[in-house]
Amino acid sequence: YFDLIEVGRKLTMTSLLAFYPSAYSSNQLGVGLLLMVLSLAFLVSARPYYHDALNDMQIVSYMLQCVILLYGLTIFVSASAADSFSADGARANTATSVALSVFCSMFFVLPLVYLFWQS
């Protein structure tokens, strides 16, 4: 049953969101983020895979997709804000971008640290 739900999620993320006009890119990101959060909540509650490691890997994958969509939404909103052209806004945007980039990189670094620590 979960394969059908996963195919529906992928179809929505790749095909249906493409029909938004380009003027509504923030809506694409928002709807995609909402869909991913709902999918993540369903995955955490259902845990459809037999092995717990597969469930955990899928949860991390969904979390990473949520963070990437949140990162894109944050950059889109901060770039379209009226005060982003001031010097303080530029520094705040840089700090936000750096913080989100470091947070995104942790999804790749922490599993490697864990594997290194276990060996």
Side-chain angles (χ1 to χ4, degrees):
Y1 75 98
F2 185 70
D3 290 333
L4 294 174
I5 294 171
E6 182 69 13
V7 167
R9 182 193 67 82
K10 288 179 180 180
L11 176 71
T12 304
M13 291 294 290
T14 58
S15 301
L16 298 180
L17 287 179
F19 289 114
Y20 274 99
S22 61
Y24 300 108
S25 296
S26 62
N27 289 350
Q28 284 179 326
L29 291 169
V31 170
L33 182 61
L34 177 68
L35 179 66
M36 284 307 304
V37 167
L38 292 175
S39 299
L40 179 62
F42 175 74
L43 180 68
V44 168
S45 66
R47 297 191 66 85
Y49 297 112
Y50 181 72
H51 298 289
D52 284 335
L54 293 175
N55 287 316
D56 294 341
M57 285 190 288
Q58 188 76 8
I59 289 170
V60 169
S61 171
Y62 278 24
M63 288 173 55
L64 181 60
Q65 291 176 38
C66 288
V67 167
I68 290 171
L69 287 169
L70 181 64
Y71 180 70
L73 189 61
T74 303
I75 289 192
F76 184 82
V77 168
S78 66
S80 65
D83 62 340
S84 66
F85 296 107
S86 68
D88 294 335
R91 272 184 258 149
N93 289 340
T94 304
T96 303
S97 297
V98 169
L100 286 171
S101 297
V102 168
F103 185 71
C104 286
S105 67
M106 288 299 141
F107 279 100
F108 299 108
V109 173
L110 290 178
L112 295 176
V113 169
Y114 177 76
L115 289 175
F116 178 74
W117 191 266
Q118 292 296 323
S119 62

Tab-separated table of all heavy atoms in Angstrom, residues 42-101:
chain	number	residue	atom	x	y	z
A	42	PHE	N	3.002	11.043	8.085
A	42	PHE	CA	2.438	9.733	7.797
A	42	PHE	C	3.502	8.643	7.909
A	42	PHE	O	3.249	7.569	8.465
A	42	PHE	CB	1.818	9.711	6.398
A	42	PHE	CG	1.331	8.358	5.992
A	42	PHE	CD1	0.171	7.834	6.547
A	42	PHE	CD2	2.030	7.586	5.086
A	42	PHE	CE1	-0.275	6.576	6.195
A	42	PHE	CE2	1.597	6.338	4.728
A	42	PHE	CZ	0.432	5.830	5.285
A	43	LEU	N	4.695	8.928	7.411
A	43	LEU	CA	5.772	7.940	7.455
A	43	LEU	C	6.172	7.629	8.891
A	43	LEU	O	6.384	6.466	9.241
A	43	LEU	CB	6.978	8.450	6.666
A	43	LEU	CG	8.184	7.531	6.607
A	43	LEU	CD1	7.853	6.291	5.788
A	43	LEU	CD2	9.371	8.251	6.021
A	44	VAL	N	6.250	8.652	9.726
A	44	VAL	CA	6.623	8.433	11.118
A	44	VAL	C	5.552	7.626	11.845
A	44	VAL	O	5.862	6.750	12.661
A	44	VAL	CB	6.884	9.782	11.824
A	44	VAL	CG1	6.978	9.625	13.324
A	44	VAL	CG2	8.155	10.416	11.270
A	45	SER	N	4.301	7.891	11.544
A	45	SER	CA	3.228	7.168	12.249
A	45	SER	C	3.027	5.758	11.705
A	45	SER	O	2.762	4.837	12.466
A	45	SER	CB	1.923	7.954	12.184
A	45	SER	OG	1.458	8.015	10.851
A	46	ALA	N	3.174	5.555	10.404
A	46	ALA	CA	2.901	4.236	9.822
A	46	ALA	C	4.100	3.298	9.876
A	46	ALA	O	3.938	2.097	10.073
A	46	ALA	CB	2.448	4.397	8.366
A	47	ARG	N	5.330	3.848	9.685
A	47	ARG	CA	6.556	3.047	9.628
A	47	ARG	C	6.326	1.791	8.770
A	47	ARG	O	6.304	0.671	9.264
A	47	ARG	CB	7.038	2.694	11.017
A	47	ARG	CG	7.404	3.942	11.816
A	47	ARG	CD	8.120	3.674	13.096
A	47	ARG	NE	9.442	3.112	12.973
A	47	ARG	CZ	10.564	3.816	12.781
A	47	ARG	NH1	10.502	5.110	12.647
A	47	ARG	NH2	11.731	3.213	12.727
A	48	PRO	N	6.152	1.982	7.458
A	48	PRO	CA	5.687	0.889	6.596
A	48	PRO	C	6.723	-0.181	6.279
A	48	PRO	O	6.360	-1.270	5.861
A	48	PRO	CB	5.277	1.621	5.311
A	48	PRO	CG	6.153	2.809	5.281
A	48	PRO	CD	6.318	3.216	6.712
A	49	TYR	N	7.995	0.097	6.482
A	49	TYR	CA	9.019	-0.884	6.120
A	49	TYR	C	9.231	-1.882	7.248
A	49	TYR	O	9.083	-1.566	8.423
A	49	TYR	CB	10.333	-0.189	5.773
A	49	TYR	CG	10.220	0.716	4.574
A	49	TYR	CD1	10.331	2.091	4.715
A	49	TYR	CD2	9.987	0.206	3.314
A	49	TYR	CE1	10.227	2.933	3.624
A	49	TYR	CE2	9.873	1.033	2.215
A	49	TYR	CZ	9.993	2.386	2.374
A	49	TYR	OH	9.880	3.215	1.301
A	50	TYR	N	9.616	-3.076	6.882
A	50	TYR	CA	9.808	-4.148	7.856
A	50	TYR	C	11.018	-3.870	8.744
A	50	TYR	O	10.980	-4.096	9.947
A	50	TYR	CB	9.957	-5.481	7.123
A	50	TYR	CG	10.145	-6.662	8.027
A	50	TYR	CD1	9.091	-7.144	8.792
A	50	TYR	CD2	11.379	-7.279	8.131
A	50	TYR	CE1	9.264	-8.224	9.640
A	50	TYR	CE2	11.563	-8.354	8.969
A	50	TYR	CZ	10.510	-8.832	9.722
A	50	TYR	OH	10.688	-9.896	10.556
A	51	HIS	N	12.098	-3.387	8.142
A	51	HIS	CA	13.321	-3.102	8.893
A	51	HIS	C	13.296	-1.655	9.383
A	51	HIS	O	12.984	-0.739	8.624
A	51	HIS	CB	14.558	-3.320	8.016
A	51	HIS	CG	14.697	-4.736	7.548
A	51	HIS	ND1	15.046	-5.767	8.396
A	51	HIS	CD2	14.540	-5.284	6.332
A	51	HIS	CE1	15.088	-6.897	7.722
A	51	HIS	NE2	14.782	-6.638	6.457
A	52	ASP	N	13.653	-1.483	10.633
A	52	ASP	CA	13.652	-0.137	11.211
A	52	ASP	C	14.682	0.765	10.547
A	52	ASP	O	14.482	1.980	10.451
A	52	ASP	CB	13.922	-0.191	12.712
A	52	ASP	CG	12.703	-0.653	13.493
A	52	ASP	OD1	11.580	-0.465	12.982
A	52	ASP	OD2	12.878	-1.191	14.598
A	53	ALA	N	15.781	0.196	10.079
A	53	ALA	CA	16.810	1.006	9.421
A	53	ALA	C	16.270	1.644	8.139
A	53	ALA	O	16.592	2.795	7.827
A	53	ALA	CB	18.041	0.163	9.116
A	54	LEU	N	15.438	0.915	7.405
A	54	LEU	CA	14.838	1.477	6.190
A	54	LEU	C	13.875	2.610	6.528
A	54	LEU	O	13.835	3.633	5.830
A	54	LEU	CB	14.122	0.389	5.398
A	54	LEU	CG	15.004	-0.694	4.789
A	54	LEU	CD1	14.141	-1.765	4.129
A	54	LEU	CD2	15.958	-0.091	3.782
A	55	ASN	N	13.103	2.431	7.583
A	55	ASN	CA	12.210	3.509	8.026
A	55	ASN	C	13.010	4.745	8.420
A	55	ASN	O	12.656	5.863	8.051
A	55	ASN	CB	11.356	3.044	9.203
A	55	ASN	CG	10.271	2.087	8.788
A	55	ASN	OD1	9.595	2.309	7.795
A	55	ASN	ND2	10.108	1.023	9.546
A	56	ASP	N	14.106	4.537	9.156
A	56	ASP	CA	14.920	5.663	9.594
A	56	ASP	C	15.566	6.380	8.416
A	56	ASP	O	15.616	7.613	8.386
A	56	ASP	CB	15.989	5.190	10.580
A	56	ASP	CG	15.391	4.675	11.878
A	56	ASP	OD1	14.216	5.003	12.165
A	56	ASP	OD2	16.087	3.934	12.591
A	57	MET	N	16.050	5.631	7.434
A	57	MET	CA	16.652	6.259	6.257
A	57	MET	C	15.622	7.058	5.466
A	57	MET	O	15.909	8.153	4.979
A	57	MET	CB	17.309	5.208	5.367
A	57	MET	CG	18.620	4.695	5.911
A	57	MET	SD	19.543	3.690	4.750
A	57	MET	CE	18.564	2.206	4.714
A	58	GLN	N	14.421	6.537	5.347
A	58	GLN	CA	13.370	7.259	4.627
A	58	GLN	C	12.962	8.517	5.384
A	58	GLN	O	12.711	9.557	4.772
A	58	GLN	CB	12.160	6.333	4.422
A	58	GLN	CG	11.101	6.900	3.539
A	58	GLN	CD	11.484	6.835	2.074
A	58	GLN	OE1	12.467	6.248	1.684
A	58	GLN	NE2	10.668	7.462	1.252
A	59	ILE	N	12.920	8.451	6.700
A	59	ILE	CA	12.588	9.623	7.509
A	59	ILE	C	13.647	10.705	7.336
A	59	ILE	O	13.327	11.883	7.151
A	59	ILE	CB	12.410	9.231	8.991
A	59	ILE	CG1	11.112	8.436	9.167
A	59	ILE	CG2	12.425	10.450	9.901
A	59	ILE	CD1	10.951	7.795	10.517
A	60	VAL	N	14.927	10.313	7.357
A	60	VAL	CA	16.001	11.292	7.152
A	60	VAL	C	15.910	11.896	5.756
A	60	VAL	O	16.103	13.099	5.568
A	60	VAL	CB	17.380	10.641	7.402
A	60	VAL	CG1	18.506	11.545	6.949
A	60	VAL	CG2	17.541	10.312	8.870
A	61	SER	N	15.573	11.081	4.764
A	61	SER	CA	15.416	11.579	3.399
A	61	SER	C	14.286	12.601	3.310
A	61	SER	O	14.436	13.661	2.694
A	61	SER	CB	15.146	10.412	2.455
A	61	SER	OG	14.794	10.860	1.188
A	62	TYR	N	13.166	12.314	3.927
A	62	TYR	CA	12.042	13.250	3.925
A	62	TYR	C	12.395	14.529	4.674
A	62	TYR	O	12.015	15.621	4.261
A	62	TYR	CB	10.809	12.611	4.557
A	62	TYR	CG	9.999	11.726	3.642
A	62	TYR	CD1	10.548	11.116	2.536
A	62	TYR	CD2	8.658	11.481	3.903
A	62	TYR	CE1	9.803	10.309	1.722
A	62	TYR	CE2	7.896	10.675	3.089
A	62	TYR	CZ	8.480	10.081	2.001
A	62	TYR	OH	7.737	9.285	1.178
A	63	MET	N	13.105	14.391	5.799
A	63	MET	CA	13.503	15.566	6.555
A	63	MET	C	14.434	16.445	5.731
A	63	MET	O	14.311	17.678	5.754
A	63	MET	CB	14.173	15.149	7.864
A	63	MET	CG	13.220	14.591	8.885
A	63	MET	SD	14.025	13.917	10.353
A	63	MET	CE	15.006	15.272	10.916
A	64	LEU	N	15.346	15.840	5.005
A	64	LEU	CA	16.251	16.611	4.164
A	64	LEU	C	15.491	17.337	3.063
A	64	LEU	O	15.766	18.504	2.770
A	64	LEU	CB	17.318	15.697	3.566
A	64	LEU	CG	18.346	16.377	2.679
A	64	LEU	CD1	19.109	17.425	3.463
A	64	LEU	CD2	19.283	15.363	2.078
A	65	GLN	N	14.508	16.678	2.470
A	65	GLN	CA	13.698	17.344	1.446
A	65	GLN	C	12.911	18.505	2.044
A	65	GLN	O	12.769	19.560	1.405
A	65	GLN	CB	12.760	16.336	0.789
A	65	GLN	CG	13.484	15.319	-0.066
A	65	GLN	CD	12.551	14.271	-0.629
A	65	GLN	OE1	11.434	14.577	-1.011
A	65	GLN	NE2	13.009	13.042	-0.683
A	66	CYS	N	12.413	18.345	3.262
A	66	CYS	CA	11.709	19.441	3.931
A	66	CYS	C	12.644	20.615	4.183
A	66	CYS	O	12.272	21.772	3.974
A	66	CYS	CB	11.114	18.961	5.255
A	66	CYS	SG	9.698	17.883	5.090
A	67	VAL	N	13.862	20.328	4.630
A	67	VAL	CA	14.822	21.393	4.905
A	67	VAL	C	15.200	22.118	3.620
A	67	VAL	O	15.304	23.348	3.596
A	67	VAL	CB	16.066	20.830	5.625
A	67	VAL	CG1	17.199	21.823	5.653
A	67	VAL	CG2	15.700	20.411	7.029
A	68	ILE	N	15.394	21.380	2.529
A	68	ILE	CA	15.747	22.014	1.256
A	68	ILE	C	14.609	22.897	0.758
A	68	ILE	O	14.835	24.018	0.283
A	68	ILE	CB	16.135	20.945	0.222
A	68	ILE	CG1	17.482	20.332	0.611
A	68	ILE	CG2	16.192	21.516	-1.179
A	68	ILE	CD1	17.879	19.130	-0.199
A	69	LEU	N	13.374	22.425	0.875
A	69	LEU	CA	12.240	23.260	0.475
A	69	LEU	C	12.107	24.490	1.371
A	69	LEU	O	11.798	25.589	0.894
A	69	LEU	CB	10.953	22.441	0.486
A	69	LEU	CG	10.812	21.435	-0.650
A	69	LEU	CD1	9.651	20.497	-0.386
A	69	LEU	CD2	10.627	22.142	-1.968
A	70	LEU	N	12.348	24.318	2.667
A	70	LEU	CA	12.315	25.452	3.586
A	70	LEU	C	13.432	26.441	3.256
A	70	LEU	O	13.231	27.654	3.300
A	70	LEU	CB	12.440	24.975	5.031
A	70	LEU	CG	12.400	26.050	6.106
A	70	LEU	CD1	11.048	26.747	6.100
A	70	LEU	CD2	12.673	25.444	7.464
A	71	TYR	N	14.585	25.933	2.894
A	71	TYR	CA	15.707	26.782	2.495
A	71	TYR	C	15.344	27.594	1.252
A	71	TYR	O	15.577	28.797	1.199
A	71	TYR	CB	16.924	25.894	2.237
A	71	TYR	CG	18.167	26.618	1.813
A	71	TYR	CD1	18.854	27.418	2.710
A	71	TYR	CD2	18.675	26.476	0.529
A	71	TYR	CE1	20.005	28.072	2.331
A	71	TYR	CE2	19.821	27.131	0.148
A	71	TYR	CZ	20.485	27.923	1.055
A	71	TYR	OH	21.619	28.571	0.675
A	72	GLY	N	14.770	26.934	0.257
A	72	GLY	CA	14.357	27.647	-0.952
A	72	GLY	C	13.290	28.682	-0.669
A	72	GLY	O	13.328	29.791	-1.205
A	73	LEU	N	12.333	28.341	0.179
A	73	LEU	CA	11.277	29.287	0.536
A	73	LEU	C	11.842	30.478	1.290
A	73	LEU	O	11.456	31.624	1.041
A	73	LEU	CB	10.206	28.576	1.365
A	73	LEU	CG	8.924	29.332	1.647
A	73	LEU	CD1	8.216	29.685	0.354
A	73	LEU	CD2	8.014	28.505	2.531
A	74	THR	N	12.788	30.233	2.181
A	74	THR	CA	13.417	31.317	2.938
A	74	THR	C	14.179	32.256	2.015
A	74	THR	O	14.077	33.476	2.132
A	74	THR	CB	14.370	30.741	4.001
A	74	THR	OG1	13.638	29.861	4.844
A	74	THR	CG2	14.992	31.837	4.830
A	75	ILE	N	14.923	31.703	1.089
A	75	ILE	CA	15.678	32.536	0.159
A	75	ILE	C	14.729	33.308	-0.747
A	75	ILE	O	14.945	34.495	-1.024
A	75	ILE	CB	16.665	31.684	-0.642
A	75	ILE	CG1	17.770	31.236	0.288
A	75	ILE	CG2	17.211	32.425	-1.841
A	75	ILE	CD1	18.948	30.630	-0.324
A	76	PHE	N	13.672	32.661	-1.214
A	76	PHE	CA	12.716	33.350	-2.093
A	76	PHE	C	12.042	34.502	-1.361
A	76	PHE	O	11.909	35.594	-1.910
A	76	PHE	CB	11.676	32.356	-2.610
A	76	PHE	CG	10.721	32.971	-3.582
A	76	PHE	CD1	11.066	33.110	-4.909
A	76	PHE	CD2	9.475	33.406	-3.170
A	76	PHE	CE1	10.197	33.689	-5.807
A	76	PHE	CE2	8.597	33.986	-4.060
A	76	PHE	CZ	8.963	34.126	-5.393
A	77	VAL	N	11.623	34.268	-0.138
A	77	VAL	CA	10.928	35.313	0.619
A	77	VAL	C	11.890	36.436	0.978
A	77	VAL	O	11.549	37.616	0.864
A	77	VAL	CB	10.263	34.708	1.874
A	77	VAL	CG1	9.797	35.781	2.836
A	77	VAL	CG2	9.102	33.829	1.465
A	78	SER	N	13.114	36.089	1.385
A	78	SER	CA	14.057	37.141	1.769
A	78	SER	C	14.511	37.952	0.560
A	78	SER	O	14.785	39.136	0.681
A	78	SER	CB	15.251	36.552	2.502
A	78	SER	OG	16.001	35.733	1.639
A	79	ALA	N	14.574	37.317	-0.608
A	79	ALA	CA	14.973	38.055	-1.810
A	79	ALA	C	13.868	38.985	-2.280
A	79	ALA	O	14.142	40.019	-2.881
A	79	ALA	CB	15.349	37.084	-2.923
A	80	SER	N	12.626	38.625	-2.022
A	80	SER	CA	11.522	39.460	-2.482
A	80	SER	C	11.092	40.497	-1.452
A	80	SER	O	10.229	41.320	-1.739
A	80	SER	CB	10.329	38.585	-2.865
A	80	SER	OG	9.836	37.920	-1.728
A	81	ALA	N	11.688	40.448	-0.272
A	81	ALA	CA	11.321	41.431	0.754
A	81	ALA	C	11.862	42.806	0.371
A	81	ALA	O	12.915	42.933	-0.244
A	81	ALA	CB	11.870	41.005	2.111
A	82	ALA	N	11.147	43.818	0.728
A	82	ALA	CA	11.528	45.176	0.342
A	82	ALA	C	12.788	45.646	1.059
A	82	ALA	O	13.579	46.400	0.506
A	82	ALA	CB	10.381	46.127	0.643
A	83	ASP	N	13.006	45.169	2.288
A	83	ASP	CA	14.161	45.652	3.046
A	83	ASP	C	15.411	44.817	2.797
A	83	ASP	O	16.424	45.033	3.438
A	83	ASP	CB	13.844	45.681	4.532
A	83	ASP	CG	13.541	44.312	5.085
A	83	ASP	OD1	13.214	43.410	4.291
A	83	ASP	OD2	13.616	44.146	6.312
A	84	SER	N	15.365	43.870	1.877
A	84	SER	CA	16.531	43.037	1.636
A	84	SER	C	17.619	43.767	0.867
A	84	SER	O	18.725	43.272	0.735
A	84	SER	CB	16.137	41.762	0.889
A	84	SER	OG	15.688	42.092	-0.409
A	85	PHE	N	17.313	44.958	0.349
A	85	PHE	CA	18.301	45.710	-0.410
A	85	PHE	C	19.129	46.632	0.473
A	85	PHE	O	20.078	47.233	0.027
A	85	PHE	CB	17.624	46.519	-1.519
A	85	PHE	CG	16.973	45.622	-2.529
A	85	PHE	CD1	15.597	45.503	-2.588
A	85	PHE	CD2	17.740	44.873	-3.405
A	85	PHE	CE1	14.995	44.670	-3.514
A	85	PHE	CE2	17.148	44.039	-4.328
A	85	PHE	CZ	15.777	43.939	-4.382
A	86	SER	N	18.761	46.747	1.735
A	86	SER	CA	19.561	47.561	2.639
A	86	SER	C	20.777	46.770	3.102
A	86	SER	O	20.855	45.558	2.941
A	86	SER	CB	18.722	47.995	3.844
A	86	SER	OG	18.409	46.883	4.639
A	87	ALA	N	21.725	47.443	3.720
A	87	ALA	CA	22.948	46.771	4.178
A	87	ALA	C	22.634	45.779	5.286
A	87	ALA	O	23.180	44.683	5.322
A	87	ALA	CB	23.954	47.808	4.663
A	88	ASP	N	21.755	46.141	6.213
A	88	ASP	CA	21.403	45.219	7.294
A	88	ASP	C	20.665	44.004	6.765
A	88	ASP	O	20.886	42.895	7.223
A	88	ASP	CB	20.546	45.929	8.344
A	88	ASP	CG	21.318	47.010	9.071
A	88	ASP	OD1	22.559	46.906	9.115
A	88	ASP	OD2	20.674	47.955	9.569
A	89	GLY	N	19.775	44.215	5.798
A	89	GLY	CA	19.049	43.094	5.206
A	89	GLY	C	19.976	42.158	4.475
A	89	GLY	O	19.813	40.943	4.510
A	90	ALA	N	20.988	42.707	3.798
A	90	ALA	CA	21.947	41.864	3.080
A	90	ALA	C	22.742	41.025	4.065
A	90	ALA	O	22.994	39.848	3.824
A	90	ALA	CB	22.873	42.728	2.234
A	91	ARG	N	23.133	41.612	5.196
A	91	ARG	CA	23.862	40.835	6.198
A	91	ARG	C	22.973	39.766	6.816
A	91	ARG	O	23.412	38.662	7.077
A	91	ARG	CB	24.411	41.750	7.287
A	91	ARG	CG	25.773	42.293	6.925
A	91	ARG	CD	26.337	43.106	8.033
A	91	ARG	NE	26.123	44.486	7.599
A	91	ARG	CZ	25.906	45.496	8.393
A	91	ARG	NH1	25.873	45.325	9.687
A	91	ARG	NH2	25.709	46.695	7.922
A	92	ALA	N	21.703	40.077	7.059
A	92	ALA	CA	20.787	39.099	7.629
A	92	ALA	C	20.544	37.959	6.648
A	92	ALA	O	20.479	36.805	7.044
A	92	ALA	CB	19.467	39.772	8.006
A	93	ASN	N	20.414	38.285	5.353
A	93	ASN	CA	20.221	37.243	4.353
A	93	ASN	C	21.434	36.342	4.266
A	93	ASN	O	21.316	35.130	4.117
A	93	ASN	CB	19.932	37.856	2.984
A	93	ASN	CG	18.562	38.488	2.931
A	93	ASN	OD1	17.699	38.183	3.744
A	93	ASN	ND2	18.372	39.390	1.993
A	94	THR	N	22.637	36.917	4.357
A	94	THR	CA	23.854	36.122	4.321
A	94	THR	C	23.924	35.211	5.534
A	94	THR	O	24.268	34.034	5.403
A	94	THR	CB	25.086	37.036	4.257
A	94	THR	OG1	24.957	37.895	3.128
A	94	THR	CG2	26.355	36.238	4.157
A	95	ALA	N	23.609	35.739	6.705
A	95	ALA	CA	23.648	34.927	7.919
A	95	ALA	C	22.629	33.791	7.846
A	95	ALA	O	22.927	32.655	8.220
A	95	ALA	CB	23.384	35.802	9.140
A	96	THR	N	21.444	34.079	7.336
A	96	THR	CA	20.422	33.037	7.187
A	96	THR	C	20.869	31.979	6.192
A	96	THR	O	20.717	30.780	6.439
A	96	THR	CB	19.095	33.664	6.722
A	96	THR	OG1	18.705	34.659	7.650
A	96	THR	CG2	18.008	32.622	6.614
A	97	SER	N	21.439	32.402	5.096
A	97	SER	CA	21.901	31.451	4.084
A	97	SER	C	23.013	30.562	4.628
A	97	SER	O	23.024	29.357	4.399
A	97	SER	CB	22.393	32.185	2.839
A	97	SER	OG	21.348	32.899	2.249
A	98	VAL	N	23.949	31.157	5.358
A	98	VAL	CA	25.042	30.370	5.930
A	98	VAL	C	24.507	29.392	6.967
A	98	VAL	O	24.889	28.212	6.987
A	98	VAL	CB	26.117	31.300	6.537
A	98	VAL	CG1	27.114	30.524	7.373
A	98	VAL	CG2	26.826	32.069	5.434
A	99	ALA	N	23.603	29.847	7.834
A	99	ALA	CA	23.049	28.967	8.865
A	99	ALA	C	22.286	27.801	8.241
A	99	ALA	O	22.445	26.644	8.666
A	99	ALA	CB	22.139	29.763	9.798
A	100	LEU	N	21.480	28.079	7.232
A	100	LEU	CA	20.736	26.995	6.587
A	100	LEU	C	21.648	26.065	5.802
A	100	LEU	O	21.416	24.856	5.754
A	100	LEU	CB	19.645	27.566	5.692
A	100	LEU	CG	18.438	28.128	6.428
A	100	LEU	CD1	17.515	28.853	5.467
A	100	LEU	CD2	17.690	27.037	7.146
A	101	SER	N	22.710	26.587	5.218
A	101	SER	CA	23.664	25.733	4.504
A	101	SER	C	24.384	24.793	5.466
A	101	SER	O	24.566	23.612	5.172
A	101	SER	CB	24.685	26.585	3.750
A	101	SER	OG	24.054	27.359	2.774
